[in-house]
Amino acid sequence: RLFHAFMHYARHPTSDINFRKALCHAFDYDGWINNILGGSVVRNTQVIPNPMWGAPKNWPGYDYDLDKAKMYLSKVQGPLREIVVAGMVGYEQSMQGAALLQNGLNRIGVQTRLVNEPFPVTSQRMRDPEQMYDVLFIWRSTYYADPYNWAGELLASNRRGNGNAGFYSNPEIDKLLDQALATTDQEKRAPLYEQVARLSSEDAAGLYIHNTKWFGPFRKNVSGVRFCPIGDGQEMRWVSVA
């Protein structure tokens, strides 16, 4: 389950790669993971969750560095404006993540407005580039256990407004995604998704934060529990109680 933030690719200034990189360096990842969430999650530096095949190993991603953020901000073309950073009412981490980014952006001189709205409102905005926020904190869960569940659904041009709520578009990434879908050979598909993950990270296509750890405590008399990447992580078909 990837926790990330969409950045509106079709609207200035988040359409500017330098501004997106400034945002990526303005989020306090260590503070988020270790202080706010108490180490219950792990850093995920790119679009595919770390345990999934197709995720590049040891990809550095972005760190919290306000000096780098200011440097990239100085390269942004055109005037800046107030940025709308959004979370979802009823989803505490989403709202907390938005507030943490707002703090970082305020420290580098970017004016922000924090908006928290319920999911039905957010869901409608995600389909419309005119209504979509500049930044939105959200999760991408495992609806099907394949790298395309993240890389394709969040980045492919043909998914804009339907999964790709940042309205991101990159012809090179589209080509790689199409190539990965054209074969069932995992050994051929994996390096294509790894390249997608690296390229989209370099392009600051999104703000990628953490992957959720799985905690599944059971009584001692329960056996046969198997992990499942879909749903709540618990495959119950083989469970028995002594």
Side-chain angles (χ1 to χ4, degrees), residues 119 135 138 186 209:
F119 181 73
V135 183
I138 198 168
Q186 184 172 314
I209 303 170

Side-chain angles (χ1 to χ4, degrees), residues 104-148:
L105 292 179
N106 289 346
R107 293 181 66 183
I108 63 173
V110 175
Q111 291 185 327
T112 59
R113 177 162 57 92
L114 190 62
V115 174
N116 292 310
E117 295 184 311
F119 181 73
V121 176
T122 300
S123 178
Q124 184 62 38
R125 292 187 184 278
M126 289 166 65
R127 295 177 171 86
D128 185 349
E130 296 299 321
Q131 296 186 55
M132 179 59 179
Y133 319 96
D134 296 305
V135 183
L136 170 64
F137 283 80
I138 198 168
W139 293 265
R140 176 66 187 180
S141 297
T142 313
Y143 296 103
Y144 51 95
D146 187 277
Y148 195 89

Side-chain angles (χ1 to χ4, degrees), residues 3 28 124 179 212 216:
F3 185 62
D28 186 355
Q124 184 62 38
Q179 290 175 351
T212 305

Side-chain angles (χ1 to χ4, degrees), residues 21-30 43 45 60-69 72 208:
K21 287 188 175 183
L23 263 65
C24 289
H25 282 298
F27 189 85
D28 186 355
Y29 303 95
D30 288 340
R43 179 81 171 95
T45 57
Y62 295 88
D63 59 350
Y64 178 54
D65 190 323
L66 295 182
D67 289 333
K68 286 182 182 177
Y72 282 115
Y208 306 116

Side-chain angles (χ1 to χ4, degrees), residues 192-204:
L192 295 172
Y193 285 120
E194 289 177 20
Q195 193 171 352
V196 167
R198 288 190 290 265
L199 286 174
S200 58
S201 177
E202 291 169 354
D203 202 22

Side-chain angles (χ1 to χ4, degrees), residues 144-169:
Y144 51 95
D146 187 277
Y148 195 89
N149 179 79
W150 297 273
E153 301 285 356
L154 300 180
L155 300 174
S157 295
N158 62 9
R159 301 296 296 176
R160 284 176 290 185
N162 185 18
N164 178 356
F167 298 90
Y168 178 77
S169 182

